[in-house]
Structures are given as structure tokens and as C-alpha cells.
Amino acid sequence: MAETVRSLADLAKLRPAPPAPVEAPAEPKLDALGRAYATGRRKNAVARVWLKPGSGRFVVNGKDMASYFARPTLQMIINQPFDVLNRRGQYDVLCTVSGGGLSGQAGAVRHGISRALVNYDPSVRPILKAGGFLTRDDRVVERKKYGRRKARRSFQFSKR
């Protein structure tokens, strides 16, 4: 410490700035069959999703998507990542879902599709991230409390 620092410029000269890290372009993560894999979660549902380029076939637990998720709102939720990227019908999707109800399963499949799309094509990550499709919705059902009818609902009061 023989040197005396008198200004900020002198301080900057003491140690050179570290070089800025150079980011390599993200590589797609594909398996031996050319598929991208991802896991999606919502409530108690877990979806395992495999995605590959194809004609738009969508199989959920061995059934067609339209027969497994019969409600149009659930089908709309599942197809949102494809609609945002204007890529509906360009990928074949195979997924297995377990746990939870149909609504949670649809949310899990959407989350899994979004993550699989990023694994297949990393350039779409900013678009899906801005749409909120890569964020896991961690809301779960509140537990039932002792002395209550449900989580917060009290028993009905009766004076007599």
C-alpha cells in the first residue's frame, strides 16, 4: 500500500476491469430421437412433455387431446404457447399427465410445452417469458383448518 489514491481515476488504474463474459448462443437440448423434453407443473398435476417437428398430432395419456381435454377452454389454454409463436400444427406433442384435476393438468401441459419449446428452439425464450408461460404457477389449495368447515369457512351458526 505504498501508492496513494487521490481520485477515482487513480483507483481505476490500480486493477484492470475484468473482461466482459461472452455468452455463447444457447444450444437446443434434444434426445437421440430429435425430441425436446420438459416437465410442467400446476397445482398437484405433473406433465411430462415430448415435442418434435411434425404434423400437429397431440397425444395425452394415449388419447387424442380433444377427447382427453373435452372443454374448449382447456384446449385453448394448452395451445396458447403455439398461438403466441404462430406455430400451431408444426409440432407433434406426446405427453403424460398425472395428479390433480383437469384444469391443473391443462396448466401443467401448457407449462411443459413452453419449456419444451425453449429446449427445442432457445430463440423463442424471450417471447414465452414475456407471455408468462415459463413461470410455474405455484398456487395450491389451502389446507382445511381444525374447527372449520373448509379452509376458512365456518360452520353455520344456529342460535337454537
Side-chain angles (χ1 to χ4, degrees), residues 70-85:
R71 285 186 278 182
T73 54
L74 298 179
Q75 294 175 19
M76 179 204 64
I77 288 171
I78 291 171
N79 285 315
Q80 280 177 338
F82 295 125
D83 293 339
V84 167
L85 300 173

Side-chain angles (χ1 to χ4, degrees), residues 60-147:
V60 181
N61 289 351
K63 294 183 181 179
D64 186 46
M65 179 189 63
S67 61
Y68 192 86
F69 294 109
R71 285 186 278 182
T73 54
L74 298 179
Q75 294 175 19
M76 179 204 64
I77 288 171
I78 291 171
N79 285 315
Q80 280 177 338
F82 295 125
D83 293 339
V84 167
L85 300 173
N86 293 324
R87 295 187 183 183
R88 186 183 271 204
Q90 295 182 11
Y91 297 99
D92 288 343
V93 179
L94 172 69
C95 62
T96 58
V97 182
S98 62
L102 282 178
S103 176
Q105 288 183 353
V109 170
R110 181 181 83 167
H111 187 227
I113 287 172
S114 303
R115 290 175 68 176
L117 281 168
V118 170
N119 287 343
Y120 188 80
D121 183 9
S123 66
V124 301
R125 180 177 170 80
I127 300 166
L128 293 173
K129 183 80 171 161
F133 298 117
L134 297 177
T135 306
R136 185 214 192 285
D137 190 357
D138 61 347
R139 296 175 295 167
V140 292
V141 178
E142 191 175 347
R143 75 170 191 89
K144 183 193 175 301
K145 285 20 167 242
Y146 170 76

Side-chain angles (χ1 to χ4, degrees), residues 18-26:
V22 178
E23 285 190 33

Side-chain angles (χ1 to χ4, degrees), residues 6-36:
R6 295 188 179 161
S7 68
L8 289 176
D10 293 340
L11 185 64
K13 291 177 190 175
L14 289 178
R15 187 178 348 182
V22 178
E23 285 190 33
E27 293 289 324
K29 297 176 186 172
L30 304 177
D31 63 3
L33 299 174
R35 303 177 302 184

